[in-house]
């Protein structure tokens, strides 16, 4: 990765913008300051076609009630959820490599959803379902507690300017919401190519109740084999840019 926002992500660093108000009763992790600014990029013909053809079978609509995930996939299997899958190539690659597992991807960027659907069809991947919606709302309303074996957050927007740090998605309330969704022993896997954000992630996670750092030195872990090395990341590594992986296990 390079020292810039991941082009696969659907966020755009801008000055603080007003967000839709939330009620005073809503938890902090539904904060008014969102971690993304939605860009409605133009759909290619291929992406539009994939949305029309494959969303009916692979898409999950946001709803204000919990999904029965075993019913969604038609089986009981280990379940991985990825937040912000970008264009979806690495997510499809992981799903194809682990047919014994089921995968859910959440992305707000419609072209990315279309691209991911097309890639999944090309690779004949059937153990994948997608949401096109705000991940916080999907996790809160659609995903049952203690249902996930792994939650992945790879290369989220770093909001590198100090005045934008409050927009970073990795915050104490957010990671506690994720802990509720993980099974005991489930893992929250984070990765970033911004050292300052890696330090922020580590600080938040080390202070979070109910998690255990899987790194022996209580710092970062080597990139596990199951996380694909993207072309963009590989180019950054060759240029000497760092990448930091963190894996924290739910203990309680």
């Amino acid at each position: 990765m390079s020292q810039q926002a991941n082009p696969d992500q659907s966020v755009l660093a801008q000055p603080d913008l007003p967000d839709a108000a939330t009620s005073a009763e809503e938890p902090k992790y539904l904060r008014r300051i969102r971690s993304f600014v939605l860009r409605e990029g133009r759909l290619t013909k291929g992406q539009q076609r994939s949305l029309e053809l494959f969303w009916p079978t692979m898409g999950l609509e946001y709803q204000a009630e919990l999904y029965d995930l075993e019913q969604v996939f038609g089986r009981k299997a280990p379940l991985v959820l990825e937040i912000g899958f970008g264009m979806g190539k690495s997510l499809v690659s992981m799903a194809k490599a682990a047919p014994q597992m089921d995968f859910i991807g959440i992305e707000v960027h419609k072209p990315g959803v279309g691209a991911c659907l097309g890639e999944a069809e090309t690779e004949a991947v059937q153990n994948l379902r997608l949401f096109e919606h705000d991940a916080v709302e999907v996790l809160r309303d659609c995903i049952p507690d203690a249902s996930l074996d792994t939650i992945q957050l790879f290369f989220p927007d770093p909001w590198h300017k100090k005045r934008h740090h409050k927009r970073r998605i990795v915050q104490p309330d957010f990671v506690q919401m994720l802990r509720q969704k993980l099974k005991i022993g489930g893992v929250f896997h984070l990765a970033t190519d911004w050292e300052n954000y890696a330090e922020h992630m580590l600080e938040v996670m080390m202070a979070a109740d109910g998690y255990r750092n899987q790194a022996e030195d209580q710092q970062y872990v080597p990139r596990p084999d199951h996380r694909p090395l993207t072309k963009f990341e590989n180019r950054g590594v060759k240029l000497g840019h760092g990448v930091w992986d963190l894996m924290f296990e739910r203990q309680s």
Side-chain angles (χ1 to χ4, degrees):
M1 292 305 213
S2 67
Q3 294 296 308
Q4 60 182 358
N6 185 346
D8 278 356
Q9 297 295 325
S10 58
V11 287
L12 178 64
Q14 293 183 354
D16 290 348
L17 301 175
D19 293 287
T22 56
S23 71
E25 291 77 20
E26 289 178 327
K28 287 182 180 179
Y29 57 71
L30 296 178
R31 56 196 181 281
R32 292 175 175 83
I33 300 171
R34 296 185 183 273
S35 64
F36 63 89
V37 175
L38 185 61
R39 294 182 304 184
E40 280 300 334
R42 181 177 298 177
L43 288 165
T44 66
K45 289 182 179 180
Q47 291 164 356
Q48 182 64 51
R49 175 182 176 276
S50 294
L51 285 163
E52 292 170 357
L53 292 179
F54 310 130
W55 180 261
T57 54
M58 296 184 64
L60 296 176
E61 299 290 347
Y62 166 78
Q63 60 185 34
E65 61 182 270
L66 299 175
Y67 273 91
D68 181 335
L69 298 176
E70 289 185 20
Q71 187 177 57
V72 165
F73 288 97
R75 65 175 182 174
K76 183 176 182 179
L79 188 56
V80 178
L81 182 144
E82 181 162 335
I83 299 168
F85 57 78
M87 302 305 282
K89 195 171 184 65
S90 64
L91 177 58
V92 170
S93 176
M94 285 184 283
K96 182 177 182 179
Q100 76 281 8
M101 303 173 69
D102 291 327
F103 291 77
I104 294 175
I106 309 176
E107 177 58 58
V108 295
H109 189 216
K110 189 180 288 290
V113 175
C116 187
L117 289 170
E119 182 76 10
E121 176 65 16
T122 298
E123 297 297 332
V125 166
Q126 298 182 349
N127 57 332
L128 174 63
R129 301 292 184 271
L130 305 180
F131 282 96
E132 183 197 341
H133 199 77
D134 182 341
V136 169
E137 295 179 0
V138 169
L139 285 156
R140 178 195 67 191
D141 298 332
C142 302
I143 305 299
D145 288 351
S147 63
L148 303 175
D149 292 87
T150 305
I151 298 175
Q152 299 176 165
L153 178 66
F154 298 154
F155 307 102
D157 192 293
W159 294 100
H160 59 280
K161 294 181 180 179
K162 189 172 183 179
R163 69 177 183 273
H164 293 155
H165 283 186
K166 58 191 174 184
R167 286 188 175 271
R168 290 175 168 177
I169 193 170
V170 179
Q171 303 291 349
D173 291 312
F174 179 70
V175 302
Q176 287 304 322
M177 181 183 69
L178 298 188
R179 181 166 70 97
Q180 294 176 4
K181 304 303 174 180
L182 286 167
K183 299 174 183 177
I184 300 296
V187 173
F188 180 29
H189 181 187
L190 311 87
T192 182
D193 59 337
W194 284 77
E195 185 172 13
N196 176 264
Y197 200 4
E199 293 168 349
H200 169 84
M201 288 175 170
L202 184 61
E203 180 181 358
V204 169
M205 293 306 301
M206 290 299 291
D209 291 337
Y211 283 101
R212 179 183 70 85
N213 191 345
Q214 291 191 332
E216 293 183 2
D217 63 358
Q218 299 300 294
Q219 295 284 312
Y220 308 102
V221 298
R223 179 184 65 84
D225 291 338
H226 65 259
R227 182 173 75 74
L229 185 66
T230 67
K231 290 181 181 179
F232 187 76
E233 180 182 359
N234 192 44
R235 185 166 63 246
V237 169
K238 288 180 178 179
L239 293 172
H241 300 156
V243 176
W244 293 265
D245 282 78
L246 303 87
M247 299 181 75
F248 278 77
E249 177 182 329
R250 179 183 177 183
Q251 290 203 301
S252 63

